[in-house]
Amino acid sequence: MLLDGRVALVTGAGSGIGREIALALARDGARVGVGDIDVAAAEDTVSAMDGAPGSGMALNMDVTSESQVDAGVAQLDEAWGGLDVLVSNAGIQHIAPIVDLDYAVWQRVMKIHLDGAFLTSRACMRVMRRRARGGAIILMGSVHSKVASPLKAPYVAAKHGLLGLARVIAREGAADGIRANVICPGFVRTPLVDRQIPEQAAELGISEEEVISTVMLKDTVNGEFTTLDDVARTAVFLAAFPTAALTGQSLVVSNGWVME
Ligand code: NAD
C-alpha cells in the first residue's frame, strides 16, 4: 500500500472526482477526512470505504468558510496525529456568456475554487510544518487551467489561478518538505458535467449529443471521456511521490485533449 499510515483531507469528496479520490486513498491505506458542504454525501463516501485498509471521517466543511476549514483540519490533526495529503477538489461550474454573467456568480465561482484552495492549503501547511514530516498538496485544476472555452469565464480564470497558487506553495513549502501539484482533468462524467450538457446545448443551440461530440470530446485522441479512475490514480501517484522532483507541476489527464 502506497499510503499506509498517511492522513489525507479531500474536499468536495461527497460526489464525483473527490469521492473517487477519497476511496482510492483509503484503498491505499490512508485515513481520509471527507470534507463536503453536503454532509450526508460525505457520510455516504465514508460508508463506501467499508472494508478498505484505510478509513474515513466525514467533515462538515464549506471550503469558503475559514472557521470550518480550520476546525476540520484541526479535528483530523487531533484524531489522527497529523496531516500528510491535501486534495483541494471542491468546485462548481456555471455556464453563461460574460455579458450575461452576474457579478455574484463570478464571485461565488472564484471563491469556491481560489479562496477554498487557499484556506485549505494554509490550514494544512500549518499542520505539516508543525509536524515536520512534509506533505503533498494537490489542487484540482482542469484542462481549463491551460485553455479557454466560451461560457466559462470565472471557472477558466479560477482554474488558471490555481497554477500560480500551486507554484507559490511549491516554493514556500520546500523547506518543510511540502510538495504542491495540480491535476488537470479533461471531461469526466460527474454530476457537474451532466448538469452542463443541457445548459450548453441551450446556450449554443445544438443537441446534447453534439455538445458531447463537438464541444467536450472533439479534441481528445479517442473521443472518450476521462474516467474517475484515471483521475484518482493520478492523485494517488502524486500523493505518494517521495521527492520534490515533482513539485510546482500540473499534470493534464485529458485523453490527449491538451498536450504539452
Ligand atoms: P461534483 O459536482 O460531482 O462534486 C463537487 C462536490 O463539491 C460536491 O459534493 C459538492 O457538494 C462539493 N462542494 C461544492 N461547493 C462546496 C463548498 N463550498 N465546500 C465544500 N464542498 C463543496 O463535481 P466534480 O465533477 O467531481 O468536480 C470536482 C472538481 O473537479 C472540481 O474542482 C471541478 O472543477 C474539477 N474538474 C471536474 C471535471 C469534470 O469533467 N467533472 C474536469 C476538470 C476538473
Side-chain angles (χ1 to χ4, degrees), residues 23 27 76 171 185 237 258:
L23 296 176
R27 276 198 302 275
L76 293 178
R171 293 222 176 268
F237 166 72
V258 165

Side-chain angles (χ1 to χ4, degrees), residues 15 17 36 61-63 89 140-141 155 159 186 188 190-193:
S15 173
I17 290 173
D36 207 290
M61 185 185 286
D62 177 344
V63 295
N89 165 81
M140 193 53 64
Y155 186 86
K159 291 300 192 190
V188 181
T190 67
L192 179 140
V193 163

Side-chain angles (χ1 to χ4, degrees), residues 48-132:
M49 286 174 188
D50 202 23
S55 55
M57 183 194 301
L59 297 169
N60 177 19
M61 185 185 286
D62 177 344
V63 295
T64 68
S65 161
E66 184 176 15
S67 57
Q68 284 185 20
V69 168
D70 287 349
V73 169
Q75 201 178 326
L76 293 178
D77 181 38
E78 277 157 31
W80 290 332
L83 206 149
D84 306 288
V85 178
L86 165 66
V87 184
S88 170
N89 165 81
I92 59 169
Q93 180 58 279
H94 187 87
I95 301 299
I98 292 171
V99 290
D100 295 333
L101 190 63
D102 289 337
Y103 184 35
V105 172
W106 167 272
Q107 287 178 308
R108 179 83 187 136
V109 177
M110 297 295 276
K111 205 170 159 74
I112 292 175
H113 291 278
L114 285 178
D115 296 19
F118 161 68
L119 289 172
T120 51
S121 296
R122 186 184 67 175
C124 291
M125 288 174 78
R126 286 174 172 167
V127 174
M128 289 169 181
R129 169 175 284 186
R130 182 163 44 76
R131 295 282 182 183

Side-chain angles (χ1 to χ4, degrees), residues 226-248:
T226 298
T227 67
L228 290 170
D229 184 56
D230 294 327
V231 183
R233 281 170 187 271
T234 309
V236 170
F237 166 72
L238 287 174
F241 197 82
T243 73
L246 263 187
T247 194

Side-chain angles (χ1 to χ4, degrees), residues 196-198 200-202 204 206-217:
Q196 67 177 276
I197 293 172
Q200 290 222 41
L204 298 170
I206 57 178
S207 70
E208 295 189 15
E209 292 68 31
E210 284 172 314
V211 170
I212 292 173
S213 62
T214 66
V215 178
M216 294 185 161
L217 305 180

Side-chain angles (χ1 to χ4, degrees), residues 156-182:
V156 170
K159 291 300 192 190
H160 275 65
L162 290 175
L163 299 179
L165 177 61
R167 290 169 185 156
V168 176
I169 297 171
R171 293 222 176 268
E172 291 189 5
D176 295 308
I178 299 169
R179 297 172 295 106
N181 293 292
V182 183

